[in-house]
Amino acid sequence: MLKIYYKHTKLAKQYQKDLKTKPYLKLPPLSSYDDYKSEGIKNQNTYSYKIGQALIKAQKIGMGGGI
């Protein structure tokens, strides 16, 4: 898990660095995509999505302390 965390932070820093030199790489907001309202909102209302959110929240509060 720690290896994945470090890899992600390294890639995030590299992305922010690249955005400064190449602003055209910036992704548009999610709400601007065509299928956001139809597919994205539908997926957020499914039980599996809500269970996943609850598990993540419980893990952050109870055991991991916000890892």
Side-chain angles (χ1 to χ4, degrees):
M1 288 292 271
L2 203 55
K3 183 178 178 181
I4 295 170
Y5 171 76
Y6 286 132
K7 185 176 180 180
H8 175 73
T9 54
K10 182 179 176 184
L11 288 173
K13 286 179 184 178
Q14 182 64 36
Y15 177 69
Q16 292 300 323
K17 191 177 184 183
D18 288 344
L19 280 180
K20 289 180 182 177
T21 58
K22 304 171 189 171
Y24 59 86
L25 291 177
K26 187 174 183 179
L27 294 172
L30 285 177
S31 58
S32 69
Y33 288 106
D34 295 334
D35 64 345
Y36 173 73
K37 290 187 179 183
S38 61
E39 291 296 318
I41 302 297
K42 257 190 241 179
N43 287 338
Q44 285 184 351
N45 292 330
T46 60
Y47 288 117
S48 59
Y49 186 87
K50 290 180 181 180
I51 290 171
Q53 278 185 324
L55 287 172
I56 290 170
K57 185 177 178 182
Q59 200 272 334
K60 283 185 178 180
I61 293 171
M63 297 178 165
I67 293 177

